[in-house]
Amino acid sequence: MEKIVIIGGVAAGATAAAKVRRLSADAEITILEAGADISFANCGLPYYIGGDIKSRSKLILQSPESFNDQYQTTVHIHTTATSIDRASKVVHTSDSRTGKKNQFEYTKLILAQGGKPIAPPLLGADQEHVFQLWTLDDMDKIDAFITNKQPKTAVVVGGGFIGLEMTEALAKRGLKVSVVEMMPHVMGIMEAEISGFIQEELIAYDVDLYTNKALSEIHASSVLLNDGTKVTADMVLLSIGVRPTLKLAQETGLEMGPAGGILVDSTLKTSDDNIYAAGDMIELEHRVLGKKVRIPLAGPANRQGRIAAENALGQRHEYKGSIGTSIVRVFEAVAGITGISLKAARAEGINADAIVIHKENHTSYYPGAELVTVLVVYDKETGIILGGQTAGYAGADRRLDVLATAVSAKLTVSDLADMDFAYSPPLGNANDAINMAAYVAENRISGFSPTLTIHELDDYLEEKSALWIDVRDVFSFEKAHVEGAVNIPLEMLASTLDKLQKDQLTFVYDETGKKGHQALRTLVGAGFTNVLNVSGGFISLSNYARAIKPLNFVLNLPAPEAKKLGETNTEEKAKDVKEEVKAVKAEVQTGPLIIDVRSEDEYAYGAYPGAINIPLDELEYRASELQDKDRKIILYCASGARSAYALQILMAMGFTNSENGGGLARMMARYRSTAK
């Protein structure tokens, strides 16, 4: 009979025990857990503190008693494994409550001790208002401190997954939160323009960010940073990383790997044939890089626990490694990563490129569409997808899972371009964001649309001068633009070519990158030889600038619109728009009547001076307001399409002196020429 001893519970250990029982009815299974809890939802701890999860009991997945009832497994909590006698196959333990010694025989041993939060040797780190979050006990202490002490301010040290989740949780408990991060931006494993999206959300919710700074000292009501900055803090949460629990394995003589974890083979067997290991302790093969790494994530740990159990019972199930897929939600913003970044790919000598697109998560005409960002990293020679990152308020998780599948299956850019995705107006697009990203990547690979990501562009510009052409509308340009850029809306570009130098290094950008591609093709078709499109357009530029200060271009951004927890400004915004529309309508002057047939929110964003707003959908029943059917009327919209339809409506109703002025850009060009 097999005697399976598992050291450690939670993700890998508890999963391994359950799998052993499903495979063997008579195996003797013992779990030795140093803590008080055998199986709990550690990923849910921040959400209990923040109030999203109301019931603490829902975080407790199993107790020793319930685990034994369900899986006939003996569980010993508060039991620390002090040594392993590999020759005799015996684990020696000590009860942390009583000091009682014990020993457990095994035929196969599975190590699943996980890791522990890094505790930096900082002055003041031992004070009662300083916390880490790893266990239910940690969670309870934080919750009790907030309830009983009612702190007003908090400093979260570390801008990774747990740090940002706790930032949201503390903000939801009413604290003013500051985040301190040593890296140039939060979520350091992600590209700056992806993390910049998260940083903008944090700033919008009144979170203060201190990046490129480290914590030096912790005082009773403040912390001191390494640059001398003093930040008020009634409580401090340290979340700077996790270190694997390796003391027992090292003392046992198990072989360690180059990345600082236990070395295991593809079956998760250690250097001892009778000992397996799983979870945060081990090194595993990165499926893209092909080398040993540590990826301390719950998903891989659960799968490793299952596989270690199978192989400990004599089966052969090889673990194929991980690609590190992970995702975070901060307030309403979501961002995730899978595979490797462009920087990591190039550091490994891979001839890689990347592109970024921003596209609605479902059809733009269906209410509630939100832009989702998709960044794809690929091998230039083979087109194989190496990694990807996504961000957005809706749909980022779905696209990340597609990219994770592509990376795992070694799909190519062309495979993604031809892939069918579920489509219905409320749920997607006929050409999904993933399809569009693939099209853009194909265009970069072929040279049809020379493109640079923002990080590449910033490096590329070193010691170079370039012309920046902003092809957005004048109102977007006036709100913010790259310093020195000229504003030539796309609709006016073809008529302005004779004013530009064909051999000058030129960057073109629009809002998302799509019209930037059109502008590039216009310039290339006219004989321009040194043109590059900014991948992801102004959204990527602004996200990048939110995260880190560009070195070789200047982009000054307004503060993001303030947001408040639990409140929605949708109705107030709609009211403001309508009031603004009415105010402008009252200022109509004599002469040609200019009618903007766009929606109210489009009109409120920026309109032709003196124009009145009658949305196309309202024109037919509001035409009576115009009264004089012989008066000169000029209609316009965003592109000229809706205004062409509006012209037909007015002509059918007897308005004899109407014309289609086209798109907003063309109308503004007309305004400028008459103003001169």
Side-chain angles (χ1 to χ4, degrees), residues 41-341:
N42 51 351
C43 295
L45 304 184
Y47 302 105
Y48 176 79
I49 293 172
D52 298 289
I53 297 173
K54 306 297 182 184
S55 173
R56 182 187 186 279
S57 63
K58 288 188 175 181
L59 297 173
I60 303 171
L61 305 180
Q62 293 280 3
S63 68
E65 295 77 15
S66 68
F67 208 92
N68 186 51
D69 288 342
Q70 187 170 352
Y71 298 110
Q72 298 79 58
T73 295
T74 303
V75 178
H76 298 270
I77 57 174
H78 299 292
T79 300
T80 301
T82 55
S83 65
I84 301 171
D85 184 339
R86 291 166 56 187
S88 301
K89 298 183 183 178
V90 172
V91 177
H92 296 275
T93 67
S94 174
D95 189 307
S96 59
R97 297 164 297 183
T98 64
K100 181 181 178 181
K101 309 298 182 183
N102 206 343
Q103 61 183 39
F104 299 87
E105 296 181 355
Y106 65 85
T107 57
K108 291 292 187 293
L109 177 65
I110 299 175
L111 299 179
Q113 292 174 280
K116 292 183 178 179
I118 296 171
L122 291 170
L123 177 65
D126 58 348
Q127 298 177 78
E128 67 172 2
H129 70 298
V130 181
F131 302 93
Q132 292 180 307
L133 181 63
W134 196 246
T135 66
L136 284 170
D137 185 52
D138 294 334
M139 180 190 77
D140 292 337
K141 289 177 180 177
I142 293 171
D143 184 57
F145 183 85
I146 295 172
T147 300
N148 298 328
K149 302 294 185 180
Q150 297 185 350
K152 303 299 182 186
T153 59
V155 166
V156 174
V157 184
F161 292 97
I162 296 176
L164 294 187
E165 290 166 356
M166 278 301 297
T167 295
E168 177 184 338
L170 295 173
K172 286 181 174 179
R173 295 291 290 268
L175 281 76
K176 165 67 177 176
V177 187
S178 300
V179 175
V180 178
E181 170 56 56
M182 287 184 62
M183 299 289 284
H185 53 77
V186 303
M187 297 307 300
I189 63 173
M190 297 181 185
E191 299 289 348
E193 64 184 276
I194 301 297
S195 66
F197 172 72
I198 294 294
Q199 291 197 179
E200 180 169 349
E201 183 81 350
L202 289 166
I203 295 169
Y205 278 99
D206 198 32
V207 174
D208 291 335
L209 298 178
Y210 297 88
T211 55
N212 262 332
K213 295 177 176 63
L215 190 66
S216 292
E217 299 176 5
I218 303 175
H219 301 291
S221 58
S222 66
V223 299
L224 186 67
L225 308 186
N226 61 346
D227 66 346
T229 302
K230 184 178 180 181
V231 184
T232 303
D234 297 328
M235 68 175 291
V236 177
L237 179 81
L238 300 177
S239 182
I240 59 177
V242 177
R243 183 176 288 119
T245 305
L246 297 176
K247 184 174 182 291
L248 179 66
Q250 290 169 333
E251 291 176 348
T252 302
L254 298 179
E255 188 175 349
M256 299 293 120
I262 299 175
L263 190 64
V264 295
D265 64 13
S266 61
T267 68
L268 302 181
K269 185 170 63 177
T270 69
S271 53
D272 185 312
D273 287 343
N274 297 305
I275 301 177
Y276 293 79
D280 294 357
M281 305 175 68
I282 71 168
E283 293 187 2
L284 51 87
E285 182 168 307
H286 196 289
R287 294 174 69 170
V288 178
L289 297 175
K291 67 179 185 181
K292 294 291 186 178
V293 295
R294 286 189 57 249
I295 300 180
L297 293 171
N302 274 280
R303 288 185 286 279
Q304 292 158 22
R306 290 170 56 88
I307 292 171
E310 292 176 42
N311 294 326
L313 291 178
Q315 299 187 15
R316 184 169 181 84
H317 184 164
E318 295 193 19
Y319 182 60
K320 296 179 181 179
S322 175
I323 56 175
T325 305
S326 50
I327 196 166
V328 66
R329 190 205 71 185
V330 185
F331 299 108
E332 281 77 45
V334 174
I337 182 171
T338 188
I340 59 175
S341 66

Side-chain angles (χ1 to χ4, degrees), residues 402-431:
V402 172
L403 293 178
T405 303
V407 172
S408 297
K410 299 188 183 302
L411 299 182
T412 67
V413 165
S414 296
D415 290 329
L416 289 186
D418 294 337
M419 193 169 288
D420 291 337
F421 295 102
Y423 164 61
S424 174
L427 303 173
N429 286 285
N431 277 323

Side-chain angles (χ1 to χ4, degrees), residues 122 196 291 304 324 380 436 547 619 647 654 669:
L122 291 170
K291 67 179 185 181
Q304 292 158 22
K380 290 168 61 176
M436 295 303 299
L619 182 59
L647 178 61

